[in-house]
Amino acid sequence: MEVTFFSNFLNHHQLPFCLEMKKHLGDEFCFVETEPIEQERLEMGYEDMGEKYPFVLKSYKNDECYKLALEKGYKSDVVIIGSAPEIFIQERLNKNKITFRYTERILKEGVVRALDPRVSYGVWKQNTRYKDKNMFLLCASAYTSYDMHLFGAYPGKMYKWGYFPEVKNYDIDNLLKKKQENKEISILWAGRFLKWKHPEFAIKVAEGLKRKGYSFNLTIIGNGEMREDLRKEVLQKELQDVVLFKEFMPPESVRKYMEKADIFLFTSDFNEGWGAVLNESMNSGCAVVASHAIGSVPFLLKHGVNGMIFKSGDEIELLNQVMQLCDDEELRTNLGRQAYKTLSEEWNASNAALNFLKLSDAIMNKKTVEILSGPCSTADIVSQRKMYAFLRKEH
């Protein structure tokens, strides 16, 4: 089976999956980059991986590479296409060859955008008109399936997917024991300082904890447009003794902070397509408190089992859940252990590659395959409005 994966550029969220595919398929697997990595990403600590791995084809390098990428787009048995121009799959779609579109949600700015004729036409052009063809959807958000459902796209052909950053193998008992040795509760927030990521919620948590006399420290890693406002807020609320800011650093350095943290806060709203820091913090044994609006949360977290889920924007519920974790070391430890188990046993690149190959083989040979959970299992169709209640009912 020859599989080609098209996306803008290779990054550390996709690399482990690609390495697994390479392990299974050898030279039958190729990752096609369609543009150079952005300078902003390099400044955030991302690595330019295009030259490092022999299975990467830079379609933009020269005419020969571009023609080879087009050829792979047509001839491969199976193609995955993420953020890449449609030209690379147009011919194969016309010939009804197996194609998986890989996307986060398409209505991040609100489902009302489904009423915009320009949006509707764009979705029809790329997705809905192929609903009766061999075109399938890998949902890199729990909200993708509902968004596509609104347009009648991919009926019965939508599967859970995501990003699969490296899953590290720890001695989880030893890792959790080291966290228990923290002199005070260690809380971590990491990401870009953007309004829709709501880093200010972390500061409000710190304010509430300090007011109630908790012994803790909060580390905030990142940079962005809200940087000065956040620092001013910390000073105005006299939180500089409990809040520490750290600049952007490479992902592997952020992981070091996760390994030491008791609690990880993930506060984004519905604009967060996936959110790979959830994978990484769970793999690091953190007790995670995360907004239900984040694309990865409904796939990865079960409330009270391997993390805590608060209603997006509900600062009181967020603070109450953090206080509950601060008060209950056993709960923190159990959530961290189960979070680690979720990543090490199910939501990882190895399982994603195996399940994807099983699913692709079944489609190619018109067989039935049943994947009950994890990557490539059937994606539930749950509306944005009902997701919070769905998560609480289910878990």
Side-chain angles (χ1 to χ4, degrees):
M1 183 191 305
E2 182 178 359
V3 179
T4 299
F5 185 170
F6 289 86
S7 193
N8 48 4
F9 50 81
L10 183 62
N11 61 48
H12 67 286
H13 298 155
Q14 300 163 323
L15 177 62
F17 171 73
C18 292
L19 292 174
E20 289 292 327
M21 293 292 284
K22 176 68 174 177
K23 183 172 73 175
H24 289 291
L25 300 177
D27 292 339
E28 296 283 274
F29 175 74
C30 178
F31 183 94
V32 176
E33 287 191 339
T34 60
E35 63 184 61
I37 186 171
E38 304 159 343
Q39 183 61 34
E40 180 186 4
R41 297 281 180 179
L42 295 173
E43 292 172 358
M44 289 169 59
Y46 281 55
E47 181 183 3
D48 186 351
M49 298 178 173
E51 297 288 348
K52 189 173 181 179
Y53 297 96
F55 58 79
V56 177
L57 171 62
K58 291 176 175 254
S59 66
Y60 55 86
K61 190 172 183 178
N62 53 47
D63 289 343
E64 183 179 350
C65 290
Y66 183 75
K67 290 177 182 177
L68 180 56
L70 288 173
E71 183 178 309
K72 286 186 172 294
Y74 172 63
K75 290 187 176 180
S76 297
D77 297 303
V78 178
V79 158
I80 305 170
I81 183 162
S83 299
E86 293 292 295
I87 186 65
F88 291 109
I89 60 168
Q90 196 57 61
E91 192 171 358
R92 75 178 292 108
L93 292 178
N94 293 337
K95 297 294 184 180
N96 198 27
K97 302 191 75 172
I98 298 171
T99 306
F100 287 85
R101 192 176 295 284
Y102 165 31
T103 183
E104 297 175 2
R105 68 176 310 187
I106 57 174
L107 299 175
K108 289 182 181 179
E109 298 174 16
V111 294
V112 69
R113 293 196 70 234
L115 302 175
D116 186 332
R118 293 169 296 180
V119 174
S120 298
Y121 176 73
V123 175
W124 174 84
K125 186 177 180 181
Q126 288 192 343
N127 303 281
T128 310
R129 65 174 171 157
Y130 298 108
K131 67 180 182 179
D132 297 322
K133 302 293 185 180
N134 278 322
M135 191 172 186
F136 306 84
L137 186 66
L138 299 176
C139 301
S141 167
Y143 297 95
T144 304
S145 54
Y146 181 75
D147 288 356
M148 289 295 188
H149 169 72
L150 292 176
F151 298 97
Y154 306 102
K157 299 189 294 181
M158 296 187 281
Y159 303 96
K160 293 181 181 180
W161 198 244
Y163 294 96
F164 303 98
E166 179 187 7
V167 172
K168 295 186 177 182
N169 293 316
Y170 297 101
D171 179 332
I172 188 60
D173 292 326
N174 186 52
L175 181 64
L176 294 172
K177 184 178 179 180
K178 287 183 178 179
K179 292 176 186 283
Q180 292 169 355
E181 294 171 358
N182 289 335
K183 294 180 179 179
E184 51 191 14
I185 303 297
S186 175
I187 304 173
L188 179 64
W189 188 100
R192 289 174 290 166
F193 296 163
L194 302 174
K195 290 182 179 179
W196 54 266
K197 285 184 175 286
H198 298 288
E200 75 278 7
F201 287 0
I203 294 173
K204 290 177 181 178
V205 166
E207 181 184 19
L209 293 178
K210 184 175 181 180
R211 185 173 62 247
K212 293 180 179 294
Y214 284 91
S215 177
F216 74 99
N217 62 75
L218 167 65
T219 300
I220 299 177
I221 301 175
N223 211 329
E225 62 189 40
M226 297 177 68
R227 181 178 184 273
E228 293 306 317
D229 289 340
L230 294 172
R231 290 177 182 271
K232 286 179 182 178
E233 187 174 358
V234 167
L235 291 174
Q236 289 170 357
K237 294 180 177 179
E238 299 182 347
L239 298 173
Q240 57 267 39
D241 59 326
V242 293
V243 178
L244 176 66
F245 285 96
K246 291 286 186 179
E247 295 292 324
F248 270 134
M249 58 185 69
E252 58 269 22
S253 298
V254 177
R255 287 293 287 264
K256 295 294 183 183
Y257 281 88
M258 290 177 175
E259 289 163 7
K260 296 176 182 177
D262 296 294
I263 300 170
F264 185 83
L265 304 180
F266 199 7
T267 53
S268 301
D269 60 30
F270 289 103
N271 285 284
E272 185 74 71
W274 177 257
V277 291
L278 181 59
N279 304 60
E280 294 162 340
S281 58
M282 291 175 70
N283 180 217
S284 301
C286 295
V288 177
V289 183
S291 158
H292 87 286
I294 295 162
S296 57
V297 166
F299 285 174
L300 301 187
L301 283 186
K302 294 182 179 180
H303 180 71
V305 177
N306 62 357
M308 306 286 276
I309 302 173
F310 72 95
K311 190 172 185 178
S312 180
D314 191 332
E315 300 169 19
I316 295 175
E317 186 178 25
L318 169 60
L319 177 58
N320 286 339
Q321 290 183 2
V322 174
M323 288 193 297
Q324 183 181 357
L325 292 175
C326 289
D327 290 334
D328 193 337
E329 181 181 70
E330 183 179 359
L331 178 60
R332 291 199 309 271
T333 300
N334 288 340
L335 294 183
R337 187 185 306 280
Q338 291 303 314
Y340 176 79
K341 183 178 179 180
T342 298
L343 270 293
S344 61
E345 295 185 2
E346 184 170 73
W347 275 96
N348 55 60
S350 177
N351 271 358
L354 285 172
N355 289 356
F356 180 78
L357 291 172
K358 287 179 186 176
L359 179 60
S360 297
D361 179 72
I363 293 170
M364 287 177 64
N365 294 292
K366 298 181 180 180
K367 299 185 300 183
T368 299
V369 63
E370 190 173 28
I371 300 171
L372 298 177
S373 63
C376 290
S377 59
T378 300
D380 298 310
I381 298 174
V382 183
S383 72
Q384 177 176 308
R385 183 173 60 85
K386 294 181 179 179
M387 182 64 82
Y388 181 72
F390 172 78
L391 292 172
R392 291 310 179 100
K393 180 181 178 181
E394 289 292 304
H395 310 311

